[in-house]
Amino acid sequence: MTSSSLSSLLPQLSFAPSVAARRRQRQQIIMASGDRQALFNRIAPVYDNLNDLLSLGQHRIWKRMAVDWSGAKEGSNALDLCCGSGDLAFLLSQKVGLNGQVTGFDFSRQQLDIASSRQKLHSKACYRNLIWVEGDALDLPFSDCYFDAITMGYGLRNVIDKYMALKEVYRVLKPGSKASILDFNKSTDEFKTSIQGWMIDNIVVPVAASYGLSEEYQYLKTSIQKFYTGEELECLALEAGFLSAKHFEVGGGLMGNLVATR
């Protein structure tokens, strides 16, 4: 989808809240962000093990696809937003090489500590190009047009203000560069939706319960239901300023990847 095809959909899909509405939401956003930050701090110690177990290792394939779609290459300055324990950041590091730079950015200090520990454990020379920054995805501490490529894995769905998050991604991305955003797919296909819901209820939550994290993972189904469809994500990216946006279904439609070009 391109910016020229957005106008016909705008009456049905309006994402940018008014100034007054944004002011009313601000305190709620601060409180909700704190709750989500606490949640991801709690799951940090077992996050990687659960990802491997629950996806049967498939998440590593999806993440490689996301990095490939970002357009990162040798010498790029790349950002992995909502980096968690660093999977995408490490893949970006290998892409950009010793002459590049990768910033892993997250609001969870515990996740960043794990990412930093992983960096120290590995001996790859390219990992020296990695830095870790704690902060707010809605208020990035970087100058305009700063990055050559941006990835975001399973982060946009968990950001309170998704439109503002994409506006910030657009702001710090260089013209002509891409953002690649991987997350659960909110399908318009009832069969895929039912399969996804069954897997969460009967596999994800019970497995998480074995780690003492059933409550922490019960939010997953609701967060997907409240998320945007692929078409809505394309429109959201265009309204945030991107020149073009394309959403791809991966993992049999259970996952999705938005590729937005500034």
Side-chain angles (χ1 to χ4, degrees):
M1 183 178 289
T2 62
S3 56
S4 61
S5 61
L6 175 62
S7 57
S8 63
L9 291 173
L10 283 179
Q12 293 80 27
L13 298 170
S14 180
F15 299 100
S18 66
V19 173
R22 192 173 295 280
R23 286 172 180 168
R24 289 195 301 270
Q25 293 170 355
R26 187 58 185 169
Q27 187 59 38
Q28 292 176 322
I29 288 174
I30 292 172
M31 293 176 65
S33 295
D35 291 341
R36 296 191 185 195
Q37 184 177 32
L39 184 152
F40 281 93
N41 282 338
R42 290 196 301 274
I43 68 176
V46 297
Y47 185 71
D48 290 328
N49 287 339
L50 275 174
N51 282 344
D52 277 327
L53 184 60
L54 294 172
S55 73
L56 301 177
Q58 293 298 299
H59 73 102
R60 299 187 183 279
I61 297 173
W62 305 329
K63 288 171 181 175
R64 287 187 181 279
M65 294 171 65
V67 169
D68 288 342
W69 269 320
S70 76
K73 57 182 182 296
E74 178 71 27
S76 291
N77 179 24
L79 170 68
D80 181 23
L81 188 58
C82 302
C83 68
S85 58
D87 278 358
L88 286 162
F90 289 117
L91 293 172
L92 281 171
S93 175
Q94 295 174 45
K95 279 280 188 182
V96 307
L98 288 173
N99 294 321
Q101 176 74 57
V102 176
T103 301
F105 189 94
D106 203 279
F107 69 169
S108 170
R109 169 46 53 186
Q110 278 81 352
Q111 291 276 19
L112 290 174
D113 287 343
I114 291 172
S116 180
S117 296
R118 292 177 66 190
Q119 180 185 14
K120 293 172 184 176
L121 285 173
H122 294 294
S123 57
K124 290 187 178 181
C126 63
Y127 288 169
R128 293 199 295 269
N129 64 19
L130 277 162
I131 61 171
W132 310 102
V133 178
E134 181 180 1
D136 183 358
L138 304 183
D139 186 19
L140 298 175
F142 309 109
S143 59
D144 295 355
C145 306
Y146 187 71
F147 293 103
D148 299 299
I150 296 177
T151 58
M152 190 178 192
Y154 303 99
L156 186 61
R157 177 176 42 84
N158 293 305
V159 172
I160 300 298
D161 191 334
K162 296 164 182 60
Y163 173 75
M164 188 61 198
L166 282 179
K167 288 282 288 184
E168 278 292 271
V169 169
Y170 174 85
R171 180 183 66 80
V172 302
L173 193 61
K174 292 179 181 178
S177 297
K178 295 178 181 179
S180 179
I181 300 171
L182 172 68
D183 216 310
F184 282 90
N185 180 44
K186 181 181 179 180
S187 179
T188 56
D189 185 303
E190 292 186 6
F191 177 72
K192 292 179 181 177
T193 300
S194 64
I195 291 296
Q196 189 180 62
W198 184 90
M199 292 179 68
I200 292 172
D201 291 339
N202 295 278
I203 299 176
V204 174
V205 173
V207 170
S210 69
Y211 287 81
L213 295 170
S214 60
E215 291 184 7
E216 284 78 0
Y217 274 81
Q218 282 172 349
Y219 88 99
L220 183 58
K221 190 173 182 179
T222 301
S223 73
I224 297 171
Q225 292 171 344
K226 292 180 178 179
F227 198 36
Y228 296 122
T229 64
E231 184 180 29
E232 289 171 339
L233 284 170
E234 291 176 351
C235 291
L236 183 63
L238 294 178
E239 193 167 347
F242 287 93
L243 182 64
S244 65
K246 178 65 176 175
H247 184 267
F248 301 92
E249 290 192 352
V250 297
L254 298 177
M255 304 295 155
N257 201 106
L258 175 70
V259 181
T261 304
R262 174 168 177 173

